[in-house]
Amino acid sequence: MLAARCALLLLTLAGQASAVKHLRNATSLLQARQSSRLKAPNCGCQAGSSSWKKSARTVPKCVFIDLGAAGGNTLETWLQDGYGPVSHCPHGGDWEAFLVEANPQFTSKLQAVQRNLGGKVHSMASTAAYTCDGTTTFSIDPDVAHDHWGSSMEHSFIGSKQYTVPTVNVNKLIAENTIPQDWVVLKVDIEGAEYEVIPCLAESDSAKLIDDLFVEEHWWFSETTAAKKLALKTARETLKAKGVRVPFGIGYDLGYVPKQASKIYS
């Protein structure tokens, strides 16, 4: 057992070292393409509201909420038990997924995923995850080779296209679509907006509905100040105190983290 744990630790450290190296290379490329900072929606943190309609569902299930869903690649990881055995979900392995992605270039892919998985998947394409319902400017990273991976509502890019897209309040999304008996997994990869979304989530009662939270922290962005980093760190601890499991993941690709750190549904 000890040998197995040591081997797992070595694999984890090797994965983190690889991720850090990849991050450094990716950061240099990304910063070279950035041109200016975008203005975030001026609607503040809406942590809760009596107008939100709680789910009337009584039968529990797993609920996977993917913020920064791209073309649905992380859902594929979910379905392949990358976040835990889907067959262990409540009520005979029942599950549901909400895929939030601001980049309009992924809309057709997400709509196809929704059609193909009959009622299990809700595509929230061309919609940005945020702390309130509103609108924002979203800038497309022109890096086609890496599938526009740096596209963001935080900054624009040299030679990029910009779109106006609606924002969805993550707290409201959770409150209206989950129940306490569910197993809720929230994955967050939203190119810097996590520094607003996660602290706001920590203030919300919706946080108590989450079981596992996986966050990619974009600490290398120029607009990520020391104050933002501290606020996110404080929010992490608040969420943990509310019963949310927040595995530590460092890097560019969170794919290795759930497979090695998550024991959900067991």
Side-chain angles (χ1 to χ4, degrees), residues 162-206:
Q162 294 185 7
Y163 297 87
T164 298
V165 298
T167 61
V168 61
N169 186 334
V170 174
N171 301 320
K172 181 180 179 182
L173 177 65
I174 295 168
E176 293 191 334
N177 294 283
T178 68
I179 60 176
Q181 297 78 18
D182 289 336
W183 195 284
V184 180
V185 178
L186 179 64
K187 169 249 171 180
V188 183
D189 183 6
I190 48 178
E191 304 302 318
E194 67 272 13
Y195 289 96
E196 285 79 38
V197 169
I198 300 303
C200 184
L201 177 62
E203 296 180 22
S204 176
D205 286 341
S206 295

Side-chain angles (χ1 to χ4, degrees), residues 198-199 202 226-241:
I198 300 303
K228 282 189 172 185
K229 292 176 183 178
L230 178 59
L232 185 57
K233 181 180 179 180
T234 301
R236 271 183 179 273
E237 297 309 311
T238 300
L239 290 167
K240 289 179 181 179

Side-chain angles (χ1 to χ4, degrees), residues 48-255:
S49 173
S50 59
S51 66
W52 295 355
K53 299 178 181 179
K54 292 185 178 180
S55 173
R57 178 166 50 83
T58 58
V59 178
K61 62 176 69 175
C62 288
V63 180
F64 180 53
I65 302 174
D66 189 353
L67 309 182
N73 52 299
T74 311
L75 177 65
E76 184 177 351
T77 300
W78 159 274
L79 292 174
Q80 294 175 350
D81 296 340
Y83 287 75
V86 176
S87 62
H88 290 187
C89 288
H91 197 57
D94 195 12
W95 63 273
E96 189 173 13
F98 295 83
L99 308 183
V100 183
E101 174 54 53
N103 189 340
Q105 296 178 341
F106 290 114
T107 296
S108 61
K109 288 185 178 180
L110 291 181
Q111 289 175 343
V113 171
Q114 178 176 278
R115 287 193 304 271
N116 294 337
L117 290 172
K120 293 283 191 183
V121 173
H122 305 274
S123 168
M124 303 184 70
S126 298
T127 301
Y130 203 56
T131 62
C132 57
D133 292 328
T135 59
T136 189
T137 300
F138 191 79
S139 181
I140 307 299
D141 182 352
D143 184 0
V144 178
H146 293 95
D147 214 9
H148 311 283
W149 60 358
S151 300
S152 174
M153 58 185 286
E154 296 286 318
H155 47 252
S156 62
F157 294 85
I158 298 171
S160 72
K161 293 182 179 179
Q162 294 185 7
Y163 297 87
T164 298
V165 298
T167 61
V168 61
N169 186 334
V170 174
N171 301 320
K172 181 180 179 182
L173 177 65
I174 295 168
E176 293 191 334
N177 294 283
T178 68
I179 60 176
Q181 297 78 18
D182 289 336
W183 195 284
V184 180
V185 178
L186 179 64
K187 169 249 171 180
V188 183
D189 183 6
I190 48 178
E191 304 302 318
E194 67 272 13
Y195 289 96
E196 285 79 38
V197 169
I198 300 303
C200 184
L201 177 62
E203 296 180 22
S204 176
D205 286 341
S206 295
K208 297 176 182 178
L209 295 166
I210 301 170
D211 294 279
D212 284 88
L213 171 64
F214 296 94
V215 184
E216 181 168 308
E217 299 177 26
H218 297 79
W219 47 264
W220 60 92
F221 285 178
S222 58
E223 60 266 23
T224 304
T225 63
K228 282 189 172 185
K229 292 176 183 178
L230 178 59
L232 185 57
K233 181 180 179 180
T234 301
R236 271 183 179 273
E237 297 309 311
T238 300
L239 290 167
K240 289 179 181 179
K242 290 186 175 184
V244 182
R245 298 195 329 138
V246 190
F248 176 73
I250 196 164
Y252 149 76
D253 186 355
L254 283 177

